[in-house]
Amino acid sequence: MGGCMHSTRDHAVHSEGWPGSSVAPTSALAPRKMPKSISISKQLASVKALKKSSDLEKAIATVALIFKNSSDPDGKLGKAAAKNLLQAQFGNFTKGQESKSTYQELLSELDEHTENKLDFEDFMVLLLSITVMSDLLQNLWSVKSMN
């Protein structure tokens, strides 16, 4: 499963030019019209329920939108796309984990996943598992929260 992966913090979604959409080149040789993209922050701002939400609610909504924007039309994420998304959007949490056996086991489980695709629940479990074992989390625990 391929696709365009954005490594920027403000991941974007294609609002046109999606497979199966009505946007098509006028001829086989014509350059394809570049899709317009909507940033995650604009997508979040468009959801009324998030106007007065907490930081935690916005964080989970951001993860949900990034997953939705990266998944296929069935709402699933192929294993190659999942690995690319982890590298592009979760690199600070995966950094330094490559040599750890628990991280390798997680990726092996991803490779052995029966459907070879993850739904949102599977993806969240994967993110949380990586987060719990990450060096970055250990650094976050040492951050002062009060003066």
Side-chain angles (χ1 to χ4, degrees), residues 99-111:
S99 62
K100 294 182 179 179
S101 62
T102 48
Y103 181 75
Q104 303 240 342
E105 287 173 29
L106 276 175
L107 292 183
S108 292
E109 287 176 23
L110 178 59
D111 287 336

Side-chain angles (χ1 to χ4, degrees), residues 3-139:
C4 182
M5 300 307 301
H6 301 278
S7 61
T8 62
R9 183 177 190 94
D10 207 16
H11 187 75
V13 63
H14 299 300
S15 61
E16 66 182 61
W18 209 234
S21 74
S22 61
V23 176
T26 54
S27 78
L29 299 176
R32 184 158 192 205
K33 184 178 179 182
M34 289 302 292
K36 293 181 183 177
S37 51
I38 301 171
S39 69
I40 290 291
S41 58
K42 285 185 181 179
Q43 290 178 58
L44 288 170
S46 73
V47 179
K48 267 187 181 178
L50 293 174
K51 298 282 186 222
K52 295 181 180 180
S53 62
S54 69
D55 291 340
L56 183 57
E57 290 167 327
K58 287 177 185 170
I60 296 298
T62 299
V63 173
L65 285 172
I66 289 171
F67 178 86
K68 178 182 172 267
N69 296 345
S70 302
S71 64
D72 63 21
D74 294 329
K76 303 267 179 141
L77 198 58
K79 64 181 181 180
K83 287 180 181 180
N84 289 338
L85 185 58
L86 288 173
Q87 288 177 333
Q89 293 285 330
F90 213 57
N92 288 325
F93 281 93
T94 61
K95 187 177 183 179
Q97 302 305 309
E98 300 84 7
S99 62
K100 294 182 179 179
S101 62
T102 48
Y103 181 75
Q104 303 240 342
E105 287 173 29
L106 276 175
L107 292 183
S108 292
E109 287 176 23
L110 178 59
D111 287 336
E112 295 168 5
H113 199 273
T114 55
E115 294 179 26
N116 287 326
K117 291 189 175 187
L118 301 173
D119 60 16
F120 182 66
E121 182 179 338
D122 294 330
F123 184 70
M124 287 298 291
V125 170
L126 178 63
L127 283 183
L128 291 173
S129 298
I130 291 170
T131 300
V132 168
M133 74 171 95
S134 74
D135 296 332
L136 180 56
L137 181 64
Q138 300 312 310
N139 292 336

